[in-house]
Amino acid sequence: MSLYGRIANLFRLSRIDREIDDELRAHVEMRTEDNIRAGMSPEEARRDALLRFGNRAVMRERANAADTEQVLAGLGRDIRYATRQLRHSRGFALTAILTLAVGIGANVVVLSVLNALILKPLDLPHADQLFLVEHKEHGWYSQSYPDYLDYRDRNTSFSGLVAYDMAEAAMSTGGSTARNFGYLASGNYFDVLGVEPLLGRFFHTSDEHGENSAPYIVLSYDLWRRRFAANPYVIGTTVDLNQRPFTVIGVAPKQFHGSETFYWPDFWIPIVEDGQIGYGHNYLNNRSTHNLLVLGRLKLGATPQQANENLNSISRQLAQQYPLADNGLDARLIKPGWMGDLWGDPIRSFMAALVGLAALVLLAACANLGSIFAARATDRSRELAIRLAIGSTRWHILRQLLSEAVLVSLGGGIVGTVLATFLLQALSRWQPFHDFPVHVAVMA
């Protein structure tokens, strides 16, 4: 039986078992007939035949084991021969492996970036239920705080709506001052996102009692380690933001980096404290100030379409109540981060072009690899002709050539994966703007 047939038989054991059973049955019947001719009764003759051939299951297992052992032995010989051939042709092996590694590495990096930028949802519980509330006009996604309150209190489609904005402040701790970036967030921010603190507690809606009523701060895990040396007793201490005191009430878990894809805040403070850090946005009372992002979690059973209609119904009511500030107010839902429409079509077009370029690199690598193998086959034509002349079969030669190709492919895959891992780790550590907390976390 050929090697191909033996390998195929590994995946067709039920048929092979039946063939072995048929062959054993034939031998038993022939032995039984011989015993009868020798003078035994039919019962004795069959019993003797069965005893001589033993248990059928054991015989079947031995036959299968012997066949599999021959297959594996043949594969082992082919792999050893292919290894010797590649060792004697180091230039060819190195060129082929590096060519394949470049193509594989480039595609792994590009597809990992694509996953991080477009496909991967926010690392939050039940992220599929989270939606940003944008206006119907593409790219206009900020809301006013009074509109947010009306959306939050009047809607029937969301289990919770949060509002937040990026904030910058000079943080003073232990005699040192540094610029840090964080979030101004509504009191229900952590509750709606479903995040639990690492230390202490988060602020809640119950902490808010009007302007400047909740001077609390929650630290990010990275800031806690960097500025506070991971001090477990930091809870209850006071830090200054723009020379205003805030009490540390909690530390966020390590894996939580806010509700944006690449903006990793250092801290969170209640939005009612906007006046304390000197921004002067007058968030709480000015319906015409559109600076806030609004993020909502859909109720179980609610659909984005239902939520859209619900919010637009509220928008029409607000337009009638506040025609000067909310005339033309509308809403639509998008997925948060780069996965939705927030960053617009140019990003998706850029990523599509990048994926196409990576595919071309892989195609070029495969074409070059095919040319390299073709050139090698031409150089070995004399050797192959001699092997055919002395009795090697075409299938045996093809099998050994395939073994070489498999070894080169494995080598290229391993080197490409290592190269891609190194590049992705470097990219994940890279911070494009030293003073701004943007992180391209394309690898966990």
Side-chain angles (χ1 to χ4, degrees):
M1 183 184 294
S2 67
L3 177 62
Y4 172 80
R6 294 177 186 276
I7 294 176
N9 285 342
L10 294 176
F11 303 96
R12 297 198 298 266
L13 287 180
S14 60
R15 184 176 65 81
I16 299 301
D17 287 344
R18 288 196 299 271
E19 292 179 357
I20 293 174
D21 284 339
D22 291 342
E23 187 171 350
L24 287 174
R25 190 180 301 108
H27 282 291
V28 168
E29 290 175 355
M30 287 189 293
R31 183 67 187 181
T32 301
E33 292 175 359
D34 290 341
N35 289 340
I36 292 173
R37 283 195 294 269
M40 292 184 181
S41 67
E43 292 78 9
E44 291 177 342
R46 183 164 183 80
R47 182 173 179 277
D48 177 75
L50 290 173
L51 290 175
R52 285 179 178 272
F53 283 99
N55 186 281
R56 286 191 181 186
V58 174
M59 294 297 292
R60 188 189 308 121
E61 289 175 1
R62 288 177 179 175
N64 284 331
D67 195 55
T68 303
E69 185 178 352
Q70 292 181 21
V71 171
L72 296 178
L75 287 175
R77 287 193 298 269
D78 291 338
I79 290 173
R80 287 193 296 272
Y81 178 80
T83 303
R84 288 197 302 270
Q85 289 293 104
L86 293 176
R87 190 166 60 243
H88 294 153
S89 305
R90 291 186 175 88
F92 158 76
L94 184 61
T95 302
I97 289 173
L98 290 180
T99 299
L100 191 57
V102 169
I104 292 175
N107 276 265
V108 171
V109 170
V110 169
L111 293 178
S112 297
V113 172
L114 172 68
N115 178 61
L117 292 180
I118 306 295
L119 303 177
K120 186 179 180 180
L122 292 174
D123 189 13
L124 293 169
H126 306 290
D128 58 307
Q129 300 172 355
L130 295 175
F131 288 87
L132 274 170
V133 179
E134 187 186 42
H135 297 277
K136 287 184 179 179
E137 183 179 345
H138 182 66
W140 186 24
Y141 51 82
S142 58
Q143 312 283 347
S144 71
Y145 188 75
D147 287 340
Y148 153 71
L149 291 179
D150 286 318
Y151 281 150
R152 184 195 69 184
D153 297 337
R154 299 186 190 185
N155 88 85
T156 57
S157 302
F158 292 91
S159 60
L161 281 171
V162 303
Y164 61 94
D165 190 18
M166 298 175 188
E168 175 188 356
M171 180 180 291
S172 299
T173 58
S176 65
T177 302
R179 184 172 66 165
N180 291 99
F181 292 85
Y183 275 141
L184 287 161
S186 57
N188 61 346
Y189 180 83
F190 296 102
D191 296 323
V192 172
L193 296 185
V195 184
E196 297 295 332
L198 177 68
L199 294 177
R201 71 176 182 90
F202 291 141
F203 50 78
H204 307 285
T205 303
S206 58
D207 293 314
E208 299 178 323
H209 304 285
E211 294 184 46
N212 307 328
S213 61
Y216 306 128
I217 183 172
V218 173
L219 307 176
S220 72
Y221 178 87
D222 293 335
L223 182 70
W224 174 59
R225 292 186 63 86
R226 187 173 68 247
R227 292 286 299 273
F228 298 89
N231 179 9
Y233 303 105
V234 70
I235 306 301
T237 61
T238 300
V239 301
D240 289 341
L241 293 181
N242 291 350
Q243 301 181 348
R244 301 283 185 171
F246 284 80
T247 301
V248 178
I249 62 170
V251 176
K254 181 178 181 180
Q255 71 275 11
F256 179 63
H257 302 292
S259 43
E260 295 296 317
T261 305
F262 293 128
Y263 177 78
W264 290 13
D266 296 318
F267 62 87
W268 292 263
I269 61 174
I271 200 169
V272 296
E273 294 297 317
D274 169 58
Q276 284 287 79
I277 60 175
Y279 274 179
H281 286 152
N282 194 18
Y283 282 127
L284 305 186
N285 304 310
N286 193 338
R287 194 172 289 273
S288 299
T289 301
H290 292 80
N291 291 83
L292 300 177
L293 294 172
V294 174
L295 182 69
R297 183 181 293 279
L298 288 179
K299 291 181 178 179
L300 291 178
T303 66
Q305 180 61 32
Q306 292 171 339
N308 262 329
E309 295 172 357
N310 186 200
L311 293 180
N312 278 295
S313 174
I314 298 171
S315 297
R316 289 190 292 272
Q317 296 171 18
L318 294 176
Q320 292 177 356
Q321 288 183 253
Y322 310 101
L324 295 180
D326 285 341
N327 186 26
L329 182 66
D330 50 28
R332 72 185 181 101
L333 302 187
I334 62 171
K335 295 301 293 182
W338 292 45
M339 191 170 63
D341 297 334
L342 181 57
W343 293 90
D345 296 328
I347 292 298
R348 288 191 295 277
S349 300
F350 171 75
M351 289 306 304
L354 199 59
V355 171
L357 181 60
L360 289 177
V361 171
L362 183 60
L363 183 62
C366 292
N368 288 335
L369 196 61
S371 299
I372 292 171
F373 271 99
R376 176 170 169 78
T378 301
D379 290 340
R380 298 178 62 186
S381 58
R382 178 186 174 93
E383 171 203 339
L384 299 179
I386 292 174
R387 290 175 61 189
L388 284 172
I390 61 177
S392 290
T393 64
R394 295 180 182 274
W395 167 244
H396 184 69
I397 293 174
L398 178 60
R399 194 178 66 198
Q400 292 179 338
L401 293 177
L402 287 174
S403 299
E404 292 183 26
V406 168
L407 289 180
V408 169
S409 299
L410 287 175
I414 293 171
V415 174
T417 302
V418 171
L419 176 63
T421 301
F422 173 78
L423 292 175
L424 290 174
Q425 288 176 344
L427 187 58
S428 294
R429 291 192 298 267
W430 176 53
Q431 190 172 348
F433 308 103
H434 179 68
D435 294 330
F436 194 72
V438 171
H439 296 265
V440 188
V442 295
M443 187 173 182

